[in-house]
Amino acid sequence: MNRHKPPWWSQRTAGCPIGAVVCVHPIDSEGREDLLLSRNSVAVVRPSAVEPKPGDEHQVEYCYGADTTTKNVHDRTVEPLLHKFVEGYNTTAIVFGSTGTGKTSLLEGRNGIAIDDDSTNTPGQEGLVQLISASLFDLLEEKQLSTGDKIAARRRSYQARSFEYFVDCTYVEVFNESCSDLLKPEGQPVSKLAVVEDPEGWHMAGLRSRLARNSAELAQIFEAGCQARDHGYMDLGSVHERTAAIFTIRLAQFNPAVDAEDEDAATRP
């Protein structure tokens, strides 16, 4: 009998594990009478209906109620993905919803991202990007210290190359099949990108990336990209006319072998 329980991320779709969670955005102090919520399901009660129809009941990995906090979402759903990201796995978090469902406040916090000491965001009001930025660099610093201690203890050498990492990011806006680079140099307009294919696959030619040395710089880069977005097109018109934004964090690591006879490992985005 196998005593080791498989990790949660391996218990879903084979090959590409995907999980869906629901965050209910509060409308008023009286709550949502059109929704029936439980830990792992959400059901929509249509107008004039007494109970939901079978097609309006949805099973999800977890359902966060209207009283939840962004930190709860981060700690339960997003932080496990960060652990896998630091281990070298590709991970993705998609925030999707109609206009007014709280996507911006979930990502940026109630008062936008804190980029300086004058920000009005207070503890408990941070957005997911702030929390992800802080957790990512905390995990990398913990890994750096842990790896250094293991090398010092096993190799008995303080001259071995230490664990190193580099974090950079890109930010793209997609509208009507047109891609725009949001990380433009200051004073320059947002540039359109050509989508091209080469032997390594599809990519956007000329896409800029920025290096982030700490969590504050990573949050600042995201905020700069948000300010560059064309807000005149955001969440207007039909579903097919809305813009989408893709913020990509890339991590390159050099992980030295603990034992001198083993090979060092390097992972790149």
Side-chain angles (χ1 to χ4, degrees), residues 94-192:
I94 301 175
V95 179
F96 179 82
S98 58
T99 303
T101 53
K103 301 184 298 296
T104 300
S105 59
L106 179 65
L107 286 173
E108 302 181 17
R110 297 182 184 178
N111 300 295
I113 291 182
I115 60 174
D116 53 44
D117 295 336
D118 296 329
S119 171
T120 55
N121 260 341
T122 58
Q125 295 182 333
E126 303 94 337
L128 270 181
V129 173
Q130 286 175 281
L131 298 174
I132 289 171
S133 300
S135 294
L136 173 59
F137 280 91
D138 285 344
L139 289 173
L140 290 172
E141 290 173 3
E142 290 175 8
K143 186 174 182 179
Q144 191 174 47
L145 291 173
S146 175
T147 303
D149 291 341
K150 290 178 181 178
I151 292 175
R154 298 287 290 275
R155 290 193 180 184
R156 299 291 190 268
S157 172
Y158 297 95
Q159 297 180 351
R161 186 176 176 184
S162 62
F163 171 77
E164 298 175 0
Y165 62 87
F166 299 92
V167 176
D168 72 343
C169 54
T170 62
Y171 202 178
V172 176
E173 183 179 58
V174 181
F175 175 68
N176 279 351
E177 301 184 8
S178 177
C179 301
S180 302
D181 188 353
L182 296 176
L183 300 185
K184 61 183 180 64
E186 187 174 355
Q188 294 187 15
V190 174
S191 58
K192 302 295 183 180

Side-chain angles (χ1 to χ4, degrees), residues 18-268:
I18 298 174
V21 300
V22 171
C23 298
V24 178
H25 183 58
I27 293 181
D28 51 43
S29 58
E30 297 180 0
R32 294 291 303 264
E33 297 182 354
D34 58 336
L35 296 178
L36 297 179
L37 309 176
S38 68
R39 180 186 178 93
N40 299 108
S41 67
V42 57
V44 180
V45 181
R46 301 293 179 178
S48 72
V50 178
E51 59 183 22
K53 298 179 179 180
D56 293 329
E57 299 182 51
H58 308 279
Q59 299 297 315
V60 295
E61 181 179 293
Y62 195 79
C63 182
Y64 295 94
D67 58 345
T68 195
T69 64
T70 303
K71 191 176 187 310
N72 289 340
V73 179
H74 166 269
D75 293 349
R76 182 181 181 87
T77 299
V78 180
E79 191 170 28
L81 297 178
L82 285 176
H83 283 270
K84 302 308 301 180
F85 180 59
V86 172
E87 291 176 17
Y89 291 86
N90 291 326
T91 61
T92 303
I94 301 175
V95 179
F96 179 82
S98 58
T99 303
T101 53
K103 301 184 298 296
T104 300
S105 59
L106 179 65
L107 286 173
E108 302 181 17
R110 297 182 184 178
N111 300 295
I113 291 182
I115 60 174
D116 53 44
D117 295 336
D118 296 329
S119 171
T120 55
N121 260 341
T122 58
Q125 295 182 333
E126 303 94 337
L128 270 181
V129 173
Q130 286 175 281
L131 298 174
I132 289 171
S133 300
S135 294
L136 173 59
F137 280 91
D138 285 344
L139 289 173
L140 290 172
E141 290 173 3
E142 290 175 8
K143 186 174 182 179
Q144 191 174 47
L145 291 173
S146 175
T147 303
D149 291 341
K150 290 178 181 178
I151 292 175
R154 298 287 290 275
R155 290 193 180 184
R156 299 291 190 268
S157 172
Y158 297 95
Q159 297 180 351
R161 186 176 176 184
S162 62
F163 171 77
E164 298 175 0
Y165 62 87
F166 299 92
V167 176
D168 72 343
C169 54
T170 62
Y171 202 178
V172 176
E173 183 179 58
V174 181
F175 175 68
N176 279 351
E177 301 184 8
S178 177
C179 301
S180 302
D181 188 353
L182 296 176
L183 300 185
K184 61 183 180 64
E186 187 174 355
Q188 294 187 15
V190 174
S191 58
K192 302 295 183 180
L193 301 172
V195 180
V196 298
E197 184 182 16
D198 61 18
E200 296 183 357
W202 294 92
H203 67 93
M204 286 166 280
L207 179 62
R208 299 181 182 89
S209 64
R210 290 191 186 178
L211 183 68
R213 295 168 294 184
N214 51 55
S215 60
E217 288 188 359
L218 187 57
Q220 288 174 3
I221 294 170
F222 179 78
E223 171 67 9
C226 290
Q227 296 298 324
R229 293 191 69 183
D230 191 341
H231 295 276
Y233 292 116
M234 292 173 60
D235 283 345
L236 296 177
S238 69
V239 172
H240 300 290
E241 294 176 345
R242 294 176 182 169
T243 65
I246 305 172
F247 184 64
T248 303
I249 302 173
R250 300 183 299 189
L251 172 63
Q253 303 178 81
F254 174 83
N255 197 12
V258 173
D259 295 314
E261 62 271 15
D262 294 336
E263 293 184 0
D264 297 329
T267 60
R268 297 179 177 85

